[in-house]
Amino acid sequence: MRRELMTGNAAAAWGARLARADYLPAFPITPQTEIIETVAQWIDAGEMNCRMVMMESEHSMITAAGAAAATGVRVFTATSSQGLLYGMEMLYTVAGWRAPFVMANVSRGLAAPITLEPDHNDILAARDSGFLQIHCATCQEVLDASLIAYRVAEDARVRLPVIVNLDGFYLSFTREPVDIPSQDEVDAFVPPFDAGPTRFRAGKPMSQAVAVLGGTPYSYFRYETHLAARAALEVYAEATDAFERQFGRRYGALDAYRCDDADIIFVMMGSFATKAKDAVNKLRAIGERVGLLRPILLRPFPDTAIRQLLAGKKAVAVIDQNISMGMGGVLHGEVSAALNGSKDAPPVLASFVGGLGGRDISAEEFFEIAAETRRAAENGETPPPRLLFTESELREIRKLQAIAHVEHGSDEAEGNRNGEGEERHA
Amino acid sequence: MPDAGASRFRRMRDLPSSHMLGAGTAMCAGCGGLAALTEAYDVLGENTVFVNAAGCMSLMSVYPFTPFRGSWLYTAMASAPAGAQGVRDALDVLRARGRITVQEDLQVVVLTGDGAAGGMGLSATSGAIDRGLDFIYFCYDNEGYGNTGQQTSALTPHAAATATDAGNSGFPGWKKDLFALWAANKPAYAATIIGGEPLDLVRKIEKARSFSGPRMILALSPCPTGWGYDPKLSIEIAHLAVKTGIWPLKEYIDGRVSHTRMPHPRLPVEEYLKPQGRFAHLFEPRRNEAALREIQAGVDAYWAPWEAQREA
Ligand SMILES: Cc1ncc(C[n+]2csc(CCOP(=O)(O)OP(=O)(O)O)c2C)c(N)n1
Ligand code: SF4
C-alpha cells in the first residue's frame, strides 16, 4: 500500500487498474475525460494490460461495454451528464442483459441551460435502469467503491452493472490523499471475472437479449432483475465486510455521522455531504443535536437501514442536489417512501433543494435548514419544500437580466444569450 | 462473377441442399430478407454471433426459441455495430490472454435493416469502419422501416409509396447509396447481393469471410408485406430487380468496384415496378410518364459508364 495525493478521476482510474479491467470503451466528456486519459497513459506505458477503444458516442460506448461483458471479460467505462443521457437507452438494455461491469459517472448538471458543474440530475435519471449505484463523497471512496463494485456486479446472485458516482469538480478535480492498495491485496479481494456459461464461444451457442412475447415472460425477467438488485444489498454487505477485513476501511450502505444521539438529521448524497458534515460539527459545538445520514447505495435502496436509523428522530431535512420538475427533490421522495408506514418514523420530513449546477450551500444555509427543521419539529408541521436561493443571488440575477435586456434590445434574442455557449473543453 | 474459379461454389448444384437456419420463424411468407439470410448463414456457419439491430429480424429469436444454430445478441436500433465492437474486442482480449482457443473464436456479424443502417445506426457504423473493426455488416434492405409498417427510410427508392409517403407521388427523395458510402471509406470488402441469385450470394459471403476488417453485405430484400405484392412473386421480383438494372450486383475490393452481373440487354424498369403495389400509382389511374422516365433515366445514368467500359 502507498499513499498519494490524487483527484477523484485518478482514483477511479486506479480502481479500474487494480481490478485488472480487461476492456475500456471510452468517449470524452468534461469533467470525466481525465479518467480515460489516465488509463490510456498507463496502457501506453505498459503499466496496465487493458484494451481501450474510442467509441463515437456514449450510446455506442455502453453498448460495447455491455457486449464485451456479455462475452466474458471485465469491463470498465466512464461518462458524465450529457453522455449518460445520450446512452440512456443502453443503460436499460445492458442491465436487462445482466451484463456485469463498472462505470464511473462524474456527475454534472444537465442542459439546458448547459453547465459543467455538478449536481445529481444526471445520475438520478439512471435510477430505474437496473444499474446499481454507489455514491462517493471522497476520492478514497471512489477507488474503494470501484473495487467493491466489481465484487457486487459479478456475484452470481446479482450479475448487474454498477455505476460509481463522483461529483464533477468537487471530487473529479480535487486532490486528496488516497491509499492505493497493493495489487496482491486487490487480487485477493477481486478474483478474476468468471462469466459462467453466459458468454459467447464457438461450439457453445448462446442467445442473449432475445425478445419475449407477452407480459408474462417480460414480467418474469423484469422481476428477476429487480430481485437481483435487491439481493445486492446482502452481497454489498458481504463485500464491504470483506473489504474491511482486507483493507481496514469500513463502508456501509449508509454513512451515518453523529446520528446516534441526534434529534435532527440531515440526509444528503455525494461530496456536498462533506459541507453538511462541517455544519453538523459547528451546530454540535453550540449544543444542537444534529446528525448526517448519507446514502452510499442508492440502488439497491437501503430502505430498511434508513428506517432503522431514522426511527425515533424528531425531524429530518432531506437536502437534494437535484430537482424533479413538478415534484421536487428525488431523494426526499425516496426517503419518504422508505419511512412510509413505519411506526416510529420522524413526524417531520422536510425537503430542501440546493447545490444545483455546483451552487454552493453555505454553512449559514445549513444552520437555517437546521433551525427551520427544529421549528417544524416543535410545532409538528412539515414545512413546504424550499429551493435554496439567497437575496444577494437574486440581485445578481436581476443585474444579469438587465444586461441581457439591453443586449436584447440592440442585438440578438435573449434566449440565445442565456444558456448557450459551452466552454472550450466541454 | 466473383472469381468462380477460386470458389467452392461453382454451379447451382454446389449450393447446400439443406439449410442451417431453422424454419418456422415469425417472418412473413416470401420475405426476401429471410431468403438472403438463410443462404448466407449456410456459408457463415454456426460459429457466428449475430449482433442484431431492432427490425423485423429481431423477432426471429423469441424466448425460448431460436432458429440459429450459432449465437445471437440483440442490441438496439442504433448501436449494433458497437455491440459487434464489444464482442469482437472481448474475443480478442480472451485470445490474447490465452483464455480461449482459436477454435472457440467467432465470426461477428451485424444483422440490420436498411432503416437502422442508413439512419440512426449510421453513426455507430461509421465509428466501426473508422476503427477498422473486424466484422461483417449484413444489411437486409427492404427499403423502409418494415417492422413498424413500412414507413419511409433513407433507403426507400424514389416514388415508392410508404406508410408515410402514401400520397399519389410516393417518396419524393432518392435512395441513399449505402454501398457507395462504405466503398468511399475503404472497407476490406463490400458487396450487394439478392436472395434470388443464390450462387452469386454464396460466393460473395464466402469471399467476405476470407477477408478481415470491416466488410459489408447489402441484400436487396423484396418484401411482399411492405412492397405490396403476392409472396409467391418474391423470386421473380428479385430477378427483375437485377435484370432491369435497378439492383446492380457488385463488389468492392482493393479500391475497385466491379459488377458480378451485367444485365444485358437491360429490361425496362417498368417491369420491376409494375407488379408492386407501392408503385401502382405510377400506372393507375393513368401512367405517370414523367416519373417512369425519371426512374429509367436514373438507372441508365448509373449503368452508362460501366456499359461504355464494357463496349470499349
Ligand atoms: C430507438 C428506437 N426507435 C424506434 C424503434 C422502433 N423500431 C423498431 S424496428 C424499427 C424499424 C427498423 O427498420 P429497419 O432497420 O429498416 O429494419 P426492418 O424493420 O425493415 O427490418 C423501428 C422504427 C426502436 N426499436 N428503437
Ligand atoms: S415486413 Fe418485409 S422484411 Fe419484414 S418480415 Fe415481412 S417480408 Fe420480411
Side-chain angles (χ1 to χ4, degrees):
Chain A
M1 188 200 74
R2 61 182 211 268
R3 201 170 170 78
E4 258 180 36
L5 267 182
M6 71 172 78
T7 61
N9 279 342
W14 268 104
R17 170 172 168 168
L18 290 168
R20 297 187 186 274
D22 292 309
Y23 185 50
L24 195 160
F27 194 81
I29 180 167
T30 303
Q32 168 273 123
T33 311
E34 185 192 357
I35 299 178
I36 59 174
E37 287 179 351
T38 304
V39 170
Q41 281 161 16
W42 286 336
I43 294 172
D44 285 346
E47 291 169 35
M48 187 173 169
N49 185 9
C50 175
R51 175 180 288 236
M52 179 166 157
V53 49
M54 285 304 293
M55 302 301 290
E56 76 295 331
S57 76
E58 291 85 355
H59 188 280
S60 281
M61 178 185 93
I62 296 166
T63 308
T71 309
V73 300
R74 181 170 285 158
V75 180
F76 184 84
T77 188
T79 190
S80 171
S81 72
Q82 305 305 119
L84 190 73
L85 262 72
Y86 195 75
M88 188 60 69
E89 180 189 25
M90 297 319 294
L91 292 183
Y92 279 72
T93 305
V94 301
W97 295 354
R98 309 290 300 273
F101 64 94
V102 176
M103 176 161 83
N105 182 65
V106 186
S107 266
R108 159 180 152 186
L110 294 170
I114 197 160
T115 179
L116 297 182
E117 305 221 25
D119 66 42
H120 295 152
N121 264 104
D122 59 352
I123 183 68
L124 290 174
R127 184 188 64 174
D128 305 333
S129 63
F131 271 68
L132 309 181
Q133 294 191 9
I134 305 179
H135 287 250
C136 303
T138 66
C139 295
Q140 182 73 59
E141 275 183 50
V142 172
L143 193 161
D144 295 349
S146 305
L147 305 178
I148 292 165
Y150 278 107
R151 280 273 294 237
V152 178
E154 294 170 3
D155 191 287
R157 292 165 287 176
V158 178
R159 260 197 89 102
L160 283 171
V162 181
I163 293 175
V164 172
N165 200 66
L166 57 150
D167 293 308
F169 293 86
Y170 285 85
L171 278 191
S172 68
F173 295 154
T174 303
R175 281 169 184 279
E176 293 175 353
V178 172
D179 285 347
I180 306 173
S182 74
Q183 186 67 62
D184 288 348
E185 280 177 304
V186 175
D187 288 345
F189 179 70
V190 190
F193 174 33
D194 175 8
T198 315
R199 50 180 206 176
F200 294 117
R201 299 286 181 277
K204 300 204 175 65
M206 158 77 49
S207 296
Q208 296 195 50
V210 298
V212 295
L213 284 183
T216 297
Y218 182 79
S219 301
Y220 177 82
F221 289 118
R222 298 291 286 170
Y223 290 160
E224 219 182 32
T225 304
H226 167 65
L227 295 173
R230 293 300 294 175
L233 280 170
E234 193 185 328
V235 175
Y236 176 85
E238 290 169 14
T240 48
D241 284 348
F243 189 90
E244 185 182 15
R245 284 195 299 276
Q246 184 96 39
F247 303 102
R249 286 184 293 277
R250 162 113 213 117
Y251 296 102
L254 302 169
D255 178 20
Y257 181 70
R258 302 184 84 164
C259 284
D260 286 349
D261 66 335
D263 49 19
I264 287 182
I265 307 279
F266 294 150
V267 178
M268 240 187 135
M269 289 194 305
S271 65
F272 268 45
T274 52
K275 296 174 188 282
K277 209 176 232 182
D278 280 349
V280 164
N281 289 338
K282 288 184 178 126
L283 287 161
R284 286 273 176 174
I286 56 166
E288 288 281 335
R289 298 221 310 250
V290 179
L292 166 71
L293 180 62
R294 178 172 66 89
I296 295 177
L297 269 190
L298 186 79
R299 283 293 179 272
F301 195 57
D303 36 18
T304 306
I306 288 180
R307 210 152 41 233
Q308 285 166 355
L309 223 129
L310 295 181
K313 303 301 182 193
K314 281 194 179 143
V316 174
V318 182
I319 305 159
D320 266 288
Q321 207 182 348
N322 65 78
I323 186 162
S324 170
M325 304 302 172
M327 192 275 192
V330 172
L331 188 58
H332 181 259
E334 304 270 284
V335 173
S336 176
L339 294 176
N340 182 38
S342 106
K343 265 199 324 294
D344 38 12
V348 168
L349 183 65
S351 169
F352 299 84
V353 170
L356 300 188
R359 178 198 177 276
D360 191 26
I361 303 178
S362 65
E364 289 70 31
E365 283 177 310
F366 281 109
F367 301 160
E368 180 55 31
I369 290 169
E372 180 155 339
T373 309
R374 186 167 296 289
R375 276 195 299 278
E378 275 153 16
N379 63 30
E381 245 178 74
T382 291
R386 291 275 298 263
L387 308 176
L388 302 186
F389 212 67
T390 60
E391 293 273 335
S392 69
E393 282 178 288
L394 193 59
R395 277 198 300 277
E396 219 178 285
I397 287 290
R398 294 289 179 243
K399 267 192 243 160
L400 295 178
Q401 283 176 325
I403 297 167
H405 195 69
V406 172
E407 293 277 302
H408 175 60
S410 65
D411 190 352
E412 286 170 55
E414 184 179 338
N416 286 343
R417 286 301 166 108
N418 290 338
E420 284 205 352
E422 201 170 356
E423 271 179 31
R424 271 190 31 237
H425 298 293
Chain B
M1 289 271 155
D3 266 348
S7 173
R8 68 186 162 99
F9 304 107
R10 298 170 67 92
R11 49 195 155 248
M12 288 298 276
R13 77 174 128 89
D14 298 335
L15 295 175
S17 53
S18 66
H19 294 300
M20 274 187 45
L21 191 69
T25 62
M27 312 290 283
C28 313
C31 175
L34 184 61
L37 180 68
T38 303
E39 292 161 25
Y41 197 35
D42 289 331
V43 184
L44 290 170
E46 65 183 17
N47 290 339
T48 297
V49 50
F50 283 110
V51 183
N52 173 239
C56 289
M57 303 243 180
S58 304
L59 296 178
M60 291 184 71
S61 291
V62 177
Y63 187 79
F65 302 110
T66 178
F68 297 100
R69 283 208 220 149
S71 293
W72 173 267
L73 178 68
Y74 168 75
T75 53
M77 190 164 165
S79 59
Q85 181 85 44
V87 174
R88 182 64 266 156
D89 285 340
L91 290 167
D92 286 347
V93 164
L94 292 166
R95 284 278 300 275
R97 307 252 201 288
R99 277 150 57 188
I100 61 169
T101 61
V102 188
Q103 291 75 27
E104 287 177 298
D105 203 350
L106 291 162
Q107 177 81 253
V108 183
V109 181
V110 163
L111 181 60
T112 177
D114 58 284
M120 71 163 80
L122 202 46
S123 157
T125 308
S126 153
I129 297 172
D130 298 345
R131 295 184 294 267
L133 178 63
D134 183 17
F135 78 131
I136 295 177
Y137 186 88
F138 187 99
C139 173
Y140 58 98
D141 177 9
N142 58 11
E143 307 195 309
Y145 295 117
N147 186 240
T148 42
Q150 199 68 7
Q151 297 79 20
T152 297
S153 80
L155 272 71
T156 296
H158 183 62
T162 66
T164 46
D165 281 297
N168 51 12
S169 47
F171 174 51
W174 295 86
K175 185 177 177 70
K176 175 176 263 145
D177 192 345
L178 198 63
F179 179 87
L181 255 173
W182 272 75
N185 287 285
K186 303 187 174 56
Y189 181 70
T192 60
I193 59 168
I194 194 160
E197 297 286 350
L199 198 55
D200 181 73
L201 184 152
V202 293
R203 284 183 192 154
K204 285 172 175 167
I205 303 292
E206 188 187 34
K207 200 172 268 183
R209 278 198 57 170
S210 72
F211 290 97
S212 60
R215 291 153 285 164
M216 191 270 246
I217 301 286
L218 183 60
L220 184 69
S221 302
C223 165
T225 315
W227 296 7
Y229 65 83
D230 190 318
K232 67 174 186 283
L233 293 182
S234 265
I235 302 278
E236 193 178 330
I237 301 253
H239 289 158
L240 287 168
V242 175
K243 288 182 184 160
T244 55
I246 286 256
W247 190 248
L249 291 172
K250 55 186 167 181
E251 56 185 2
Y252 166 99
I253 302 174
D254 269 346
R256 270 198 60 224
V257 173
S258 58
H259 287 85
T260 54
R261 286 267 198 297
M262 291 283 277
H264 188 72
R266 279 186 283 114
L267 300 180
V269 293
E270 277 195 51
E271 298 205 19
Y272 169 74
L273 304 174
K274 215 165 190 172
Q276 302 183 40
R278 61 177 175 158
F279 295 114
H281 59 93
L282 298 178
F283 303 96
E284 314 242 337
R286 70 192 69 82
R287 282 175 66 86
N288 184 341
E289 290 297 349
L292 290 169
R293 260 201 311 277
E294 208 181 6
I295 296 170
Q296 185 66 60
V299 173
D300 292 347
Y302 172 85
W303 286 103
W306 301 103
E307 287 168 352
Q309 222 176 63
R310 199 167 89 144
E311 258 125 65

